[in-house]
Amino acid sequence: MAAQETAVKAGTTAPLVTLQERDFRFARRMSRMPVSAIRELLKVTEHPEIISFAGGLPAPELFPVDAIAQAHAQVFAEEAAAALQYSTTEGCRSLREWIAARMQTQGVATSTDNVMITTGSQQGIDLASKIFLEPGDTVVVENPCYLAAIQTFSGYEASFIPIDSDDKGMRVDELEEVLRHSRPKLIYVVSDFSNPKGTTLSYARRLKLIELSTRYCIPILEDNPYGELRYEGQGPPSLGALDTEGLVIQLGSFSKTLSPGMRLGWLIASEEVFHNAVIAKQAADLHTSTVQQRAAARMLQTFDYDGHIQRLCKVYGERCQAMRSAIEQYFPQDVKATRPEGGLFIWVELPERISADELFIDAVAEHVAFVPGTSFFACEPRQNFMRLNFSNQTPEKIEEGIKRIGSVLRRRFA
Ligand SMILES: Cc1ncc(COP(=O)(O)O)c(C=O)c1O
């Protein structure tokens, strides 16, 4: 309801509207941004008795706490003034150097000058949106897609071209058809162990995607926060490594390898895109926390990052396997689940008549939680899917939780 203006007596500072009558005129974009179902769900699942497969949380017991604490202590002992001062938008040079060197070993032809530190890879999604998207532009997304990317693109008033995916990732053949008659501004893809499905874009599809991006001159936003977390098999090269035309913008993150609380990610792009991204970041937050950047840079000089990743992969690989086995054992036969080789998620397809939203309510009553798949669809929500996270529970809890969901499912199937 529109606010009613109240009379203002001459010479007084009485407000034009009373508090009760206040009606903020929020920007149109806010009504387009879906509320994160996951954030809302996490509130329900905070209860200690609940076995939660809902959040995308890394295991806190695997955070390298001592190394992070020691690095912070060194920063404060030896470079406190610089760490507490404003700094450059591009980020701490030594951290950018470390990232550039690591990406080079993975076949990405980048230099330190093309690496920008971001406040998590989430900020990279936001910056790419800010520099490319105008209201009404379209973005190609996988269907289903990472929810907070849908939120971000919606915030820039973009529309979606959802492309279905299968066990080999996005159906690039379908995209080829679409590109014959539409001109999206951006192609967004989580190439390794996607969120929510856990699937990986195959090598052949990567090559095809790069070819399409080049032919139609459409930048690819490759979001890859899970790439280091591979538990089996050999991964194909990243899109960034296959790109020779500077059309891929790569996003990376320390959230799943070191700690999400540090809020450290990166964006790698060719010169023109990079330049615009720096301007966009200046307007967003000037720069990412200098203290965190310097602590990470210090730590990575001596920390056995590869050894740490191996430990993560061992534990998460066991949890992934525990969840797969439990699904086979406790879920009805006609339930399908993805078989991820890494990452944090398994995506489950239920028969069409089963609503995961309704199942969620029954599951919480049994003290177990997951994310109903509905909100991962950019356009037409589908009810019969659920996302299960396996990184944040022990194998024993995973078995117990899946058993409980299984019994809820069997009741629904009966
Ligand atoms: C696909 C994807 N991109 C980006 C992010 C955000 O990560 P960060 O903590 O680096 O901002 C997430 C977090 O779960 C994610 O799943």
Side-chain angles (χ1 to χ4, degrees), residues 25-285:
R25 291 170 299 151
F26 288 115
R28 188 180 53 189
R29 73 181 71 91
M30 291 313 297
S31 63
R32 298 176 59 113
M33 289 173 76
V35 179
S36 168
I38 299 169
R39 299 256 166 276
E40 297 305 309
L41 288 180
L42 281 175
K43 289 180 198 157
V44 181
T45 60
E46 269 163 15
H47 195 281
E49 274 183 34
I50 294 228
I51 300 176
S52 178
F53 305 130
L57 307 181
E61 66 275 21
L62 298 176
F63 293 152
V65 177
D66 291 344
I68 294 176
Q70 203 184 350
H72 278 85
Q74 280 172 346
V75 165
F76 280 105
E78 292 166 36
E79 46 182 319
L84 294 170
Q85 191 52 280
Y86 282 120
S87 184
T88 57
T89 303
E90 290 86 342
C92 166
R93 184 93 199 161
S94 51
L95 185 58
R96 294 167 67 205
E97 274 166 6
W98 187 93
I99 293 165
R102 189 160 185 93
M103 297 314 288
Q104 284 158 12
T105 65
Q106 296 173 10
V108 182
T110 190
S111 75
T112 304
D113 289 341
N114 296 78
V115 177
M116 179 168 85
I117 306 299
T118 57
T119 303
S121 62
Q122 188 64 37
Q123 186 179 50
I125 303 173
D126 190 67
L127 298 179
S129 305
K130 200 183 231 177
I131 66 178
F132 282 109
L133 299 181
E134 317 227 35
D137 280 344
T138 49
V139 182
V140 169
V141 294
E142 259 174 278
N143 199 32
C145 173
Y146 169 49
L147 175 59
I150 298 179
Q151 271 185 322
T152 306
F153 300 137
S154 303
Y156 287 92
E157 301 185 53
S159 307
F160 296 98
I161 301 180
I163 304 287
D164 279 345
S165 60
D166 58 21
D167 286 348
K168 294 184 178 139
M170 183 189 278
R171 291 280 309 270
V172 178
D173 54 332
E174 284 186 11
L175 174 62
E176 185 167 23
E177 279 304 307
V178 166
L179 292 181
R180 287 188 214 286
H181 50 79
S182 44
R183 289 275 296 149
K185 269 284 186 68
L186 210 55
I187 299 168
Y188 172 74
V189 60
V190 182
S191 44
D192 290 356
F193 320 124
S194 74
N195 180 357
K197 288 183 80 173
T199 46
T200 294
L201 189 66
S202 72
Y203 190 20
R205 289 188 189 180
R206 286 174 196 234
L207 293 173
K208 185 75 193 166
L209 191 56
I210 292 285
E211 185 215 308
L212 292 176
S213 148
T214 311
R215 192 185 327 152
Y216 293 98
C217 197
I218 304 168
I220 298 174
L221 183 59
E222 180 181 34
D223 185 13
N224 194 10
Y226 304 108
E228 302 264 15
L229 301 178
R230 172 170 283 281
Y231 319 133
E232 57 180 74
Q234 277 275 315
S238 66
L239 293 164
L242 296 170
D243 173 38
T244 52
E245 303 299 321
L247 280 163
V248 175
I249 304 155
Q250 272 199 309
L251 305 180
S253 176
F254 287 115
S255 286
K256 306 300 186 307
T257 52
L258 295 183
S259 131
M262 292 178 88
R263 306 305 305 128
L264 289 176
W266 62 88
L267 175 150
I268 299 179
S270 56
E271 208 177 308
E272 234 180 314
V273 174
F274 188 84
H275 174 71
N276 278 288
V278 172
I279 296 171
K281 183 167 165 71
Q282 273 164 6
D285 63 356

Side-chain angles (χ1 to χ4, degrees), residues 327 331-338 347-360 370-374 377 382-388 405-406 408-410 412-413:
I327 287 174
F331 280 12
Q333 285 291 308
D334 41 356
V335 169
K336 292 185 212 140
T338 53
W347 180 247
V348 175
E349 179 175 357
L350 307 166
E352 269 184 38
R353 68 194 158 82
I354 308 266
S355 153
D357 293 305
E358 288 172 15
L359 195 74
F360 176 78
F370 57 83
V371 184
T374 330
F377 293 94
R382 299 182 200 163
Q383 293 260 314
N384 55 315
F385 293 90
M386 56 183 171
R387 190 193 74 176
L388 298 170
I405 299 178
V408 168
L409 265 173
R410 283 177 197 283
R412 287 250 161 208
F413 272 56

